[in-house]
């Protein structure tokens, strides 16, 4: 792996990592030059440690990275299709979304409606990730039983609810999480918690914002 020096695209601080045998470069944006230097230092230490621990083991030929062919991610060797619940808790941030693929006939109908609207149709339920005071991760979602509510990730795992779904997918959102934005989001969350769940054909077909004044919600 070759790591570039720090540079500043569009006012940001960033560095690039180029992997031998691949035509893919990875650009990492950081908050400051000092943070970037710490990242580069830690990555180099990690690489040296990994090289020591894997000395003598069979390794993937670097020249074949561009033709790597395994699982869902064809020729995308850098993608990780699974993360642990602990990793999810660590990397998920306010504004990210958690997508659910549920079992049963009704979720299949929702996915079919999504496919008809050219929205992939792989998932049928979604939750908004929130980081609470103290660092706890929570999911804001609308369910048929409870309406709009908040569930902490620790409670989600304690009830083994993750085992109810054949697939969960984290989608990370890159946005400006400044104090003003987070305050507005907090106020909106306070307004919608407790509102009822309601689904209709019109909602399934609707695209774009509703303006924020709706009195009921559904999950997809």
């Amino acid at each position: 792996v070759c790591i570039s020096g720090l540079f500043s695209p569009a006012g940001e601080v960033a560095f690039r990592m180029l992997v031998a045998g691949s035509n893919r470069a990875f650009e990492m944006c950081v908050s400051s030059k000092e943070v970037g230097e710490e990242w580069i230092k830690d990555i180099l230490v990690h690489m040296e440690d990994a090289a020591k621990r894997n000395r003598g083991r069979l390794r993937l030929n670097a020249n074949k990275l561009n033709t790597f062919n395994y699982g869902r991610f064809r020729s995308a060797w850098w993608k990780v299709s699974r993360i642990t619940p602990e990793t999810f808790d660590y990397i998920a941030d306010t504004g990210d979304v958690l997508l659910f693929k549920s079992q049963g006939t009704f979720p299949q109908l929702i996915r079919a409606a999504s496919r008809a609207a050219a929205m992939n149709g792989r998932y049928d339920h979604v939750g908004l990730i929130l980081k609470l005071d103290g660092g706890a991760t929570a999911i804001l979602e609308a369910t048929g039983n409870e309406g709009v509510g908040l569930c902490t990730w620790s409670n989600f795992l304690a009830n083994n609810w993750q085992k109810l779904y054949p697939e969960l997918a984290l989608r990370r959102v890159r946005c400006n999480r400044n104090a003003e934005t987070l305050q507005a989001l907090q106020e909106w969350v306070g307004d919608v918690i407790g509102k009822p769940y309601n689904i209709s054909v019109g909602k399934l077909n609707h695209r774009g914002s509703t303006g924020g004044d709706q009195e009921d919600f559904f999950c997809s």
Side-chain angles (χ1 to χ4, degrees), residues 25-211:
F26 302 90
E27 186 172 297
M28 309 295 178
C29 295
V30 291
S31 58
S32 68
K33 178 181 178 181
E34 292 73 22
V35 172
E37 290 173 343
E38 285 296 318
W39 267 101
I40 292 173
K41 177 182 175 182
D42 288 345
I43 290 172
L44 291 173
V45 170
H46 175 78
M47 288 168 54
E48 292 174 0
D49 181 62
K52 291 177 182 177
R53 288 186 288 108
N54 289 285
R55 189 170 291 129
R57 295 183 182 179
L58 291 175
R59 306 174 75 174
L60 181 67
N61 188 331
N63 294 325
K64 296 182 178 180
L65 283 179
N66 284 328
T67 58
F68 183 70
N69 194 14
Y70 178 76
R72 287 174 51 202
F73 303 118
R74 304 296 181 183
S75 302
W77 57 268
W78 65 91
K79 291 189 176 181
V80 178
S81 60
R82 293 178 182 271
I83 59 174
T84 65
E86 293 77 18
T87 299
F88 171 88
D89 192 27
Y90 180 75
I91 67 175
D93 200 0
T94 294
D96 293 343
V97 294
L98 182 62
L99 303 174
F100 300 74
K101 182 177 181 180
S102 312
Q103 302 183 67
T105 302
F106 190 61
Q108 287 180 344
L109 292 175
I110 293 178
R111 292 196 294 273
S114 298
R115 281 193 294 272
M119 292 182 61
N120 187 358
R122 186 179 184 86
Y123 305 101
D124 52 78
H125 181 68
V126 62
L128 177 68
I129 304 300
L130 301 172
K131 283 291 188 181
L132 308 180
D133 286 343
T137 302
I139 306 167
L140 180 73
E141 59 180 343
T143 63
N145 293 331
E146 303 293 335
V148 180
L150 200 62
C151 175
T152 63
W153 182 241
S154 59
N155 191 46
F156 190 90
L157 296 178
N159 286 279
N160 287 318
W161 286 329
Q162 74 277 13
K163 296 181 179 179
L164 299 177
Y165 304 94
E167 188 174 347
L168 297 169
L170 172 64
R171 293 293 182 264
R172 306 185 69 186
V173 177
R174 186 176 179 182
C175 62
N176 187 1
R177 294 175 172 85
N178 56 35
E180 182 180 357
T181 301
L182 294 177
Q183 179 63 35
L185 176 61
Q186 182 174 341
E187 292 174 0
W188 177 81
V189 170
D191 289 340
V192 302
I193 285 182
K195 288 191 174 182
Y197 178 95
N198 184 34
I199 189 171
S200 66
V201 174
K203 286 185 177 181
L204 282 172
N205 291 328
H206 182 79
R207 301 293 173 262
S209 174
T210 60

